[in-house]
Amino acid sequence: MCMNGLDSTIVNPALLTIAGDFGEPVSAANTVEVAFLVALAVALPVAGWLGDRLGVKKVFLGSLAVFTAASAACGLAQDLPALVLARVVQGVAGGLLTPVGMTLLFRAFPPHERMKLSKVLIVPTALMPALGPPLGGFLTEHLSWHWLFFVNVPIGAAAVLTGVVGLREHKEDAEGFDLTGFLLATPALGLLTYALGFGPTHGWGAPSVLVCGPLGLALLAAGCVHLLRAQTPLLRLRLLADRVFASATVLALVTSAGLMGVLFAFPLLYQAALGASALDAGLSVFPEALGLMLASQVADRLMPRLGPRWLAVPALVLATAVFGALAVPGVAEHTWAVRALMFCVGLVLGTAVLTVQIAGFADVPPPAMGQAMALFTIVRTLGGALGIAATAAVISAWGGSGTHDAAPGPYRAAIAVTAGLVALGALCALRMPKEAPAPPPFDDEPEGEEMPAAA
């Protein structure tokens, strides 16, 4: 799961170098990243069903093994088509890896103990994507871009061996496979991710984007109608009838959009407007990772006292202010101001994200956990793609050229948009419950022993 989170952002600083090595334009090299995201999105809808049908341990370790092998193939690629193909395989495995792995974790802990997961969940879901740009810039600058993928191989092999010994298998009574839902939802997510990925670089008026975007939306609408009516849907959209889970899912959409948008736009501001190198731009967001680590400690201690609503809402209000400060003229020119603000981004937004994720699944029954996690992951992934696409569209509309010595205005406008997305999340967080998940009554009573009736 950590490797999957890291690979979603680690390649970005190396795209220019990859394009040069293969003699391709940068727009073609961008296919390396878009192929991974499209393949990941395509695999997400079937993750819950496969985990229930085949067993979460088997699917998780199988996906991890394929992901590791595909990483080696990426590092050994001799041309761009081979690299893109290996990234597609890597993305499919990654699309199964995260929701199934999260299902394993959430089934292992009852709701009132899941705050203990905050120290674990922060690493693959938020810390690794934040570490991707600086690590990618460092490896590309001091070794080669091939090591962006080779670094996964020993870690993945060790994780597979550990999982074979340490994980327990769990299956649910999976119903028949929803072929119609698969044929609607899978291409819908793939086409939308493709349009969002290529729109900023190829132009929103490009023929492929004009076809894929509307077609993806049409298939998504048809898929939602089918999934709501089907007796055994591929994805149980009816889980969104639970107010808390629905609120958490919407929050995942907007906070992921805000975070991925600012991680995309701010390094561009640093490079294009201020003349920094790719490594410097990646390091500019590194303090966010430190804030995320502290957030796991803060959320663990404060949520039992304050409850999900009154921890998430103030955190998101503060995050809105921090995002807005990053867009203020003159702030980005001061290195220590940037580092302090990025640390605060990780601290306050990380606290909100962890709180929402833990509280959102409190009322989801264990048999539905795989389906709920797949749905939540799909929405969060699309949110990140939407955030990047929105900020890229703002930069393009305001005349951002992407070259050194460019005007900083378009990039600051894009960061202001991410602040608006986080502010929207603060409003959504008002629907979260006031109380933290409590342990079940008489949890410590010996099994089979009845409590005396109250007088």
Side-chain angles (χ1 to χ4, degrees):
M1 289 166 61
C2 291
M3 294 188 300
N4 196 27
L6 190 67
D7 270 48
S8 66
T9 58
I10 195 173
V11 178
N12 289 339
L15 290 177
L16 188 63
T17 304
I18 292 172
D21 281 1
F22 290 146
E24 301 280 356
V26 178
S27 58
N30 189 52
T31 309
V32 173
E33 189 63 11
V34 175
F36 177 82
L37 295 175
V38 170
L40 186 146
V42 166
L44 284 172
V46 298
W49 185 87
L50 283 176
D52 289 345
R53 183 64 176 265
L54 303 179
V56 287
K57 176 180 177 178
K58 189 178 297 180
V59 174
F60 180 75
L61 294 180
S63 303
L64 182 56
V66 172
F67 188 93
T68 303
S71 297
C74 287
L76 294 171
Q78 299 299 307
D79 53 41
L80 189 60
L83 178 57
V84 170
L85 179 60
R87 282 290 274 174
V88 168
V89 177
Q90 202 181 34
V92 170
L96 300 176
L97 198 59
T98 297
V100 175
M102 297 284 277
T103 301
L104 275 168
L105 288 173
F106 272 64
R107 280 179 176 159
F109 291 84
H112 68 285
E113 293 184 356
R114 286 179 188 157
M115 279 313 301
K116 298 175 183 177
L117 290 175
S118 61
K119 301 175 183 64
V120 178
L121 293 178
I122 199 71
V123 178
T125 60
L127 180 59
M128 287 296 108
L131 287 177
L135 182 59
F138 177 83
L139 291 175
T140 303
E141 198 166 302
H142 295 283
L143 294 173
S144 76
W145 64 263
H146 302 274
W147 283 96
L148 303 180
F149 306 105
F150 286 148
V151 71
N152 289 335
V153 177
I155 300 172
V160 170
L161 293 175
T162 302
V164 168
V165 176
L167 293 177
R168 289 180 295 179
E169 187 60 280
H170 181 94
K171 293 183 180 181
E172 292 289 342
D173 294 329
E175 298 161 330
F177 185 70
D178 178 14
L179 182 60
T180 302
F182 175 78
L183 294 176
L184 289 172
T186 298
L189 294 174
L191 290 168
L192 284 174
T193 306
Y194 176 90
L196 292 171
F198 271 127
T201 55
H202 288 63
W204 297 103
S208 60
V209 176
L210 284 176
V211 171
C212 291
L215 181 57
L217 285 173
L219 288 173
L220 183 64
C224 289
V225 171
H226 166 78
L227 293 172
L228 287 171
R229 292 177 176 177
Q231 294 295 320
T232 57
L234 181 69
L235 288 169
R236 297 181 193 170
L237 295 186
R238 291 189 182 91
L239 289 169
L240 295 173
D242 182 290
R243 191 191 74 171
V244 177
F245 177 69
S247 300
T249 304
V250 173
L251 271 163
L253 176 75
V254 294
T255 55
S256 180
L259 178 61
M260 295 304 290
V262 82
L263 290 179
F264 171 80
F266 191 81
L268 286 178
L269 171 64
Y270 224 59
Q271 284 181 274
L274 305 178
S277 68
L279 179 57
D280 289 336
L283 289 173
S284 71
V285 301
F286 177 73
E288 189 231 355
L290 302 179
L292 287 168
M293 295 299 291
L294 182 58
S296 67
Q297 306 293 327
V298 171
D300 188 17
R301 286 167 171 76
L302 292 184
M303 194 169 90
R305 301 177 187 178
L306 301 179
R309 182 186 301 177
W310 300 121
L311 182 55
V313 171
L316 288 167
V317 170
L318 287 173
T320 302
V322 173
F323 277 47
L326 287 169
V328 173
V331 170
E333 287 83 351
H334 297 281
T335 303
W336 282 103
V338 169
R339 291 171 181 169
L341 288 171
M342 280 296 172
F343 176 82
C344 291
V345 167
L347 176 60
V348 294
L349 191 60
T351 299
V353 168
L354 281 172
T355 301
V356 167
Q357 186 160 332
I358 296 297
F361 287 85
D363 296 330
V364 176
M369 189 61 70
Q371 285 280 337
M373 194 61 71
L375 184 58
F376 185 85
T377 307
I378 287 170
V379 173
R380 187 177 62 195
T381 302
L382 283 178
L386 282 168
I388 293 172
T391 50
V394 170
I395 291 169
S396 177
W398 280 55
S401 63
T403 60
H404 288 290
D405 301 321
Y411 304 98
R412 291 189 173 122
I415 295 170
V417 169
T418 67
L421 290 169
V422 177
L424 181 60
L427 295 175
C428 296
L430 290 171
R431 293 178 57 84
M432 297 301 294
K434 293 182 180 179
E435 303 296 330
F442 316 130
D443 188 49
D444 295 326
E445 288 302 312
E447 191 172 340
E449 190 172 305
E450 295 184 4
M451 291 292 294

